Amino acid sequence: QVRLVESGGGLVQAGGSLRLSCVATDTIFTVDPMGWYRQAPGKQRELVATITRSGSTNYADSVKGRFTISRDNAKNTVNLQMNSLKPEDTAVYYCSARIVATLRDHWGQGTQVTVSS
């Protein structure tokens, strides 16, 4: 029903920045909200940030003030600007999107973010 294609990620030193991007493609459905989750080794997947079509955002406390989520509704894309990265931000980051018509959540394949100390 929708395919989420992620880009960005990689290896960065603590204090550095990275930008993740995700496009929702191969769909005729409206997706809302879109967002990012992450999963570190041995831990459960957790919310990073979400954004609605109207621009309402929600952030995990651990990333507030450092990460910024943005969205382009016309292009069906969502971005995550990550600044002041910390080693504890190391995880696989997953793009998510909910199809409004079905209320079903879909996930990207994940992209690795590694922050070295």
Side-chain angles (χ1 to χ4, degrees), residues 5-6 15-16 20 22 29 37 43 50 54-56 59 61-63 66-68 70 86 99-100 111:
V5 181
E6 299 149 340
L20 305 181
C22 173
F29 296 105
Y37 289 71
K43 294 187 177 181
T50 60
S54 63
S56 295
Y59 291 93
D61 288 343
S62 59
V63 306
R66 300 188 298 123
F67 292 10
T68 303
S70 60
K86 304 175 181 180
I99 292 181
V100 174
T111 185

Side-chain angles (χ1 to χ4, degrees), residues 104-116:
R104 180 181 174 185
D105 294 324
H106 295 262
W107 301 91
Q109 78 282 3
T111 185
Q112 178 70 45
V113 171
T114 302
V115 184
S116 63

Side-chain angles (χ1 to χ4, degrees), residues 56-85:
S56 295
T57 59
N58 182 39
Y59 291 93
D61 288 343
S62 59
V63 306
K64 284 181 181 177
R66 300 188 298 123
F67 292 10
T68 303
I69 191 169
S70 60
R71 178 172 179 169
D72 185 331
N73 292 329
K75 298 180 179 179
N76 253 2
T77 59
V78 61
N79 301 303
L80 186 68
Q81 178 66 42
M82 304 185 292
N83 298 328
S84 302
L85 282 160

Side-chain angles (χ1 to χ4, degrees), residues 3 12 14 23 53 55 61 63 66 69 74 87-88 93 102 113:
R3 186 164 66 99
V12 66
V23 57
R53 290 182 66 84
D61 288 343
V63 306
R66 300 188 298 123
I69 191 169
E88 51 263 44
Y93 283 69
T102 64
V113 171

